[in-house]
Amino acid sequence: MGDSKFTLVAVSAIRAREINEYYNGLGSGHGALIPPQVTSLSNKSLSLAMEELYQGKLEFHRPTPEELEDERLQAVALEEARQDAQQRPGRLHRCPPRRLSRRPLA
């Protein structure tokens, strides 16, 4: 782990929330969350998360400055598109006006 104490706390807290959601969602049929990856005498989610981290079963990725900038630019572009769509509602879904033909009736 060796990064920092703050990273240790943040990663463990995130995983502990996931473990809580897993236990709270049992029986609901979701099954999208990963169960605890360690066996422990403790039934506390934070303790389980710390043990997963200690045993190397929990990994994290610290984004590079380039990845953070790419993510920021994507968020800005998405927000601009959302604001543009709000300013011109329905513009993308409007059909062109139909032209009536002036053919003589037979």
Side-chain angles (χ1 to χ4, degrees), residues 47-63:
S47 297
L48 290 169
M50 295 288 269
E51 288 184 30
E52 285 181 355
L53 196 59
Y54 179 74
Q55 291 181 16
K57 297 187 180 199
L58 182 61
E59 297 178 1
F60 74 98
H61 169 71
R62 182 179 296 271

Side-chain angles (χ1 to χ4, degrees), residues 27-100:
S28 63
H30 292 294
L33 297 172
I34 298 172
Q37 301 297 302
V38 295
T39 54
S40 174
L41 297 176
S42 175
N43 61 352
K44 304 286 184 181
S45 57
L46 186 59
S47 297
L48 290 169
M50 295 288 269
E51 288 184 30
E52 285 181 355
L53 196 59
Y54 179 74
Q55 291 181 16
K57 297 187 180 199
L58 182 61
E59 297 178 1
F60 74 98
H61 169 71
R62 182 179 296 271
T64 64
E66 293 82 19
E67 291 172 332
L68 292 172
E69 182 62 16
D70 287 344
E71 185 177 329
R72 186 189 70 77
L73 291 174
Q74 287 176 357
V76 167
L78 185 63
E79 179 63 22
E80 287 174 354
R82 186 187 65 77
Q83 288 177 354
D84 189 40
Q86 283 181 344
Q87 290 174 357
R88 293 183 275 157
R91 184 174 179 148
L92 298 176
H93 301 290
R94 238 183 248 160
C95 296
R98 292 177 57 182
R99 292 192 174 172
L100 297 175

Side-chain angles (χ1 to χ4, degrees), residues 3-21:
D3 203 318
S4 71
K5 290 179 184 177
F6 178 80
T7 302
L8 172 74
V9 169
V11 170
S12 298
I14 291 169
R15 179 60 181 142
R17 281 189 217 111
E18 290 175 354
I19 292 171
N20 275 336
E21 289 176 19

